[in-house]
Amino acid sequence: MHREIAYTVRFPEAASHRVEVEARVPVRRGAGAPDGFLELMLPVWTPGSYLVREFARQIETLSAVTPDGAPLAVAKSRKNRWRVEAGGAAEVVVRYRLYAREMSVRTNFVDAGFALLNGAAAFLTRVDDGRPAAVPHRIRVEPAAGWPAVVSALPRAGGESAAATFLAADYDALVDGPIYAGDPDVRRFVVDGAEVELVSEGGRGVWDFARAARDVEAIVRAQAALWGGLPFARFVVLNLITEGAGGLEHAGSTVLMTSRWKAGTAKGWRDWLGLVSHELFHAWNGKRLRPAELGPFDYEAEVPMRSLWFVEGVTSYYDDLVLRRAGLSDDRQYLARLGETAERIETAPGRELQSLADASYDAWIKFYRRDENSANHTISYYGKGALVAWLLDARLRRATGGAKSLDDLLRLAWQRFPESGGYSPDDLVALAAELGGDDVGAWLRQAVEGTGGLDYATALDEFGLRFVEKPRGAGGAGTGDAAEGDAVDGGGNEPLDEDGEPGARAWVGVKTEMRDGRLIATEVRRGTPAFAAGVNADDELLAIDGYRLPPRGLAARLAAYRPEQAVELLVARRERLLRLPLVLAAEPPCPWHLEPDPDATPEQRARRAAWLAGG
Ligand SMILES: [Zn+2]
């Protein structure tokens, strides 16, 4: 049987980021088959990353021949499709060259050191009746010199020495099995009979591989305990220590990108462990337990989902909670992270406009296409989804006297919705009602479909916690703006009031960054003095009341002003100087610092301990 599609991948120009692919594609004959031609396609997006990325734009050359080497005519038939005039040939040999230099978890990257190939971005396939051909896809990878290892979660087919051959049961499996080739550090361990491989590219001399393997094993054990077992026999963590960022989930593996310097600080290490925990959690929530829309995939168009919040928000809630349960963080660290999430969501003006379900549905055109106005009209389904998961957890525990929790809901959903089908938004509400009663179901529907702030009272009371107001920069939760890496005004010198005590800071409320030595506004949120004064993104901030601002000195200059003071802000906009009257405000304090309530009852403390320890 030669009904499979067989690829050979070579790297003759690895140092210049090129991949050469040869695909032997059988021509379909008989009823329903096209007459004498072959249609090929490359996806426009890849599952887990909800943006049309047009992978076909990285194909530099493409040609086709018969098995005897006779050239065949090829023409583009869509932006991501090619039509090959096959004549009478039983098989067509397609050769194409890919450019691969995007350092991300969802595309291809190749240089002299290593290669990462993601199926949707690397392997074109035959189109049968509008879908990827339902045939096995065999991939032989011939690594470049100096690359002793080729790694994928795809099943191996053939034990050659230098080259590696993998066999994907169908195109979906190929897309779900990224391939790495290079010279990695490899650590293996076994949990509940499943082999886990931590495969790390880069980082030698800085990264602690042994500690990484120990901590990842603790995460796998904690998640196995939560779900009641592991859903795979083998799992590969492709840990690319390449100064990139992000992670992408797959059923039998994950691709992570991180900075080597995460290993140098306790917080950086927890960030990396949180990423591992997040992507591993998706092996259940997202890859197997999934919204009905998430498969079989239409690889050529957006696939919107109103339940994406459950995939990403619930996973975001558990990624850090699992670290706490595995002993990799403590209560204070965990609660601080949860408080930061609450602050980020509850201070974003977009919470009044966009529901969690709408944020999920519009991920393709909003979340994945963030711009200077995103905070004003969108909400993160990761952050708000995590908060709704926390509040749902508390409400289930409250309604059942601690007998049931969100852990139980996940395990029930896992049994109820097999991989082949998936769940609907109504299914999730029905599950919550089944476990916690109709009130909990109704609450969940409102939390997912409504806008505005969330009600934390039940969760705070259930677990004996409180939100404490702290001034910014005083060890409080910090601002979401700062977490995103840009400077915000405020947070500089502590102003003193007449008694010599710290007072409220004068505040403009504009997010800024330095560009070519200029202080540039990057985001203007609704409700701030800057918004009211008509400051625009990309304005250069030059002076207040006729006095030039020192470089990076907005916060320091504002310390000399009082809240409510009227000033004149001089900005440059498209090369023109403008004077904007602006009334300063008091910088809002951060009321979202989450901590244990010192007056918590023994019952509350016991419930908190059970929650944080996994009970
Ligand atoms: Zn995720």
Side-chain angles (χ1 to χ4, degrees):
M1 281 289 283
H2 292 287
R3 307 317 300 166
E4 65 186 31
I5 298 175
Y7 307 84
T8 302
V9 181
R10 301 183 179 94
F11 304 93
E13 297 177 314
S16 301
H17 318 294
R18 264 69 178 183
V19 190
E20 301 275 356
V21 183
E22 180 180 291
R24 303 183 79 90
V25 187
V27 178
R28 205 159 60 112
R29 303 283 177 190
D35 199 19
F37 69 86
L38 189 68
E39 187 94 351
L40 302 167
M41 70 91 139
L42 196 66
V44 303
W45 67 284
T46 197
S49 185
Y50 305 107
L51 180 67
V52 169
R53 295 183 188 278
E54 314 292 19
F55 297 125
R57 70 198 176 93
Q58 301 300 2
I59 292 189
E60 290 188 333
T61 63
L62 186 147
S63 62
V65 297
T66 66
D68 298 331
L72 295 170
V74 183
K76 283 292 285 272
S77 52
R78 282 192 199 177
K79 65 180 181 180
N80 65 316
R81 286 194 184 191
W82 296 259
R83 175 176 287 209
V84 181
E85 299 299 332
E91 182 181 78
V92 167
V93 181
V94 181
R95 298 195 178 99
Y96 56 99
R97 188 172 71 217
L98 280 169
Y99 179 65
R101 206 190 76 89
E102 188 179 331
M103 186 63 84
S104 87
V105 297
R106 66 228 163 199
T107 50
N108 305 313
F109 184 89
V110 176
D111 71 4
F114 75 96
L116 171 70
L117 300 179
N118 270 294
F123 299 108
L124 48 74
T125 190
R126 192 180 73 204
V127 183
D128 291 354
D129 309 317
R131 293 272 312 144
V135 298
H137 289 59
R138 180 183 297 268
I139 311 98
R140 175 185 158 89
V141 180
E142 298 181 2
W147 297 357
V150 184
V151 183
S152 174
L154 293 169
R156 283 263 190 171
E160 302 149 83
S161 51
T165 301
F166 302 100
L167 187 60
D170 53 28
Y171 192 70
D172 294 321
L174 174 55
V175 167
D176 202 31
I179 298 169
Y180 160 89
D183 183 13
D185 179 278
V186 181
R187 312 277 157 154
R188 292 190 177 85
F189 53 87
V190 175
V191 175
D192 291 356
E195 184 173 54
V196 180
E197 287 176 50
L198 174 60
V199 178
S200 298
E201 160 62 38
R204 287 193 175 97
V206 174
W207 198 263
D208 187 340
F209 299 104
R211 179 186 176 202
R214 273 197 313 276
D215 289 356
V216 172
E217 182 172 346
I219 291 169
V220 177
R221 288 189 186 282
Q223 294 200 7
L226 193 161
W227 288 95
L230 293 169
F232 42 70
R234 176 171 174 249
F235 192 83
V236 182
V237 179
L238 291 170
N239 179 39
L240 306 186
I241 308 169
T242 54
E243 304 308 313
L248 194 63
E249 66 270 22
H250 301 284
S253 62
T254 177
V255 180
L256 313 175
M257 285 191 178
T258 185
S259 164
R260 74 201 66 226
W261 310 113
K262 291 279 183 189
T265 65
K267 182 177 180 307
W269 193 251
R270 279 199 306 279
D271 286 348
W272 179 73
L273 293 176
L275 180 62
V276 173
S277 180
H278 183 98
E279 302 306 335
L280 178 70
F281 202 85
H282 277 317
W284 292 266
N285 188 33
K287 294 309 300 187
R288 292 176 173 85
L289 171 62
R290 62 173 175 81
E293 300 93 325
L294 203 53
F297 301 110
D298 181 346
Y299 290 107
E300 301 184 87
E302 294 89 343
V303 181
M305 289 164 276
R306 297 188 75 76
S307 296
L308 188 55
W309 75 271
F310 194 84
V311 175
E312 294 301 349
V314 170
T315 299
S316 295
Y317 170 56
Y318 276 101
D319 57 21
D320 285 334
L321 186 55
V322 163
L323 295 193
R324 166 62 192 82
R325 290 179 180 178
L328 296 167
S329 69
D330 61 26
D331 292 359
R332 186 185 57 80
Q333 289 158 349
Y334 174 68
L335 294 175
R337 287 283 284 235
L338 197 52
E340 285 167 15
T341 303
E343 197 250 347
R344 202 164 59 242
I345 296 305
E346 298 293 350
T347 58
R351 75 190 184 288
E352 301 293 346
L353 302 183
Q354 195 182 45
S355 71
L356 208 39
D358 289 343
S360 298
Y361 193 86
D362 276 342
W364 298 80
I365 60 167
K366 292 197 172 182
F367 187 82
Y368 272 86
R369 288 189 171 170
R370 288 185 66 81
D371 61 26
E372 75 287 345
N373 193 44
S374 290
N376 283 322
H377 69 114
T378 70
I379 200 78
S380 165
Y381 51 84
Y382 284 81
K384 188 172 180 184
L387 295 173
V388 167
W390 175 42
L391 302 184
L392 175 60
D393 197 359
R395 281 173 187 267
L396 287 169
R397 289 167 192 262
R398 171 61 53 97
T400 61
K404 299 290 180 192
S405 71
L406 189 59
D407 300 7
D408 294 286
L409 186 146
L410 285 179
R411 288 188 288 259
L412 185 57
W414 172 242
Q415 292 169 14
R416 187 85 43 97
F417 303 108
E419 283 176 54
S420 54
Y423 54 78
S424 71
D426 285 346
D427 288 334
L428 297 176
V429 170
L431 268 186
E434 181 179 335
L435 283 181
D438 288 345
D439 287 353
V440 176
W443 173 85
L444 180 61
R445 187 182 296 284
Q446 165 60 25
V448 172
E449 295 180 3
T451 55
L454 293 162
D455 179 359
Y456 298 89
T458 302
L460 297 179
D461 185 64
E462 177 70 10
F463 301 127
L465 301 170
R466 63 178 189 179
F467 282 116
V468 178
E469 183 173 299
K470 296 206 173 181
R472 309 225 172 234
T479 70
D481 300 344
E484 286 163 22
D486 291 329
V488 275
D489 62 296
N493 301 335
E494 194 77 11
L496 299 181
D497 67 15
E498 285 150 58
D499 302 323
E501 294 298 317
R505 295 172 216 271
W507 183 67
V508 171
V510 64
K511 202 164 149 181
T512 60
E513 68 178 27
M514 294 298 292
R515 276 184 214 156
D516 299 332
R518 299 175 178 200
L519 183 66
I520 306 292
T522 56
E523 183 187 278
V524 184
R525 292 193 176 200
R526 183 178 289 279
T528 62
F531 188 101
V535 176
N536 290 178
D538 293 331
D539 282 354
E540 179 187 1
L541 310 184
L542 289 167
I544 293 177
D545 283 346
Y547 291 98
R548 188 173 184 82
L549 290 167
R552 300 175 195 278
L554 179 59
R557 178 62 52 85
L558 286 173
Y561 287 82
R562 297 184 320 277
E564 321 306 338
Q565 208 171 335
V567 298
E568 185 184 76
L569 182 66
L570 181 68
V571 305
R573 180 180 302 163
R574 299 190 293 275
E575 305 301 328
R576 186 165 167 238
L577 297 180
L578 296 170
R579 297 172 196 282
L580 303 176
L582 184 149
V583 180
L584 296 168
E587 183 178 22
C590 173
W592 300 105
H593 184 84
L594 185 62
E595 61 179 34
D597 185 343
D599 298 328
T601 64
E603 292 76 19
Q604 286 174 315
R605 289 168 200 266
R607 293 198 295 261
R608 186 199 310 148
W611 164 54
L612 292 171

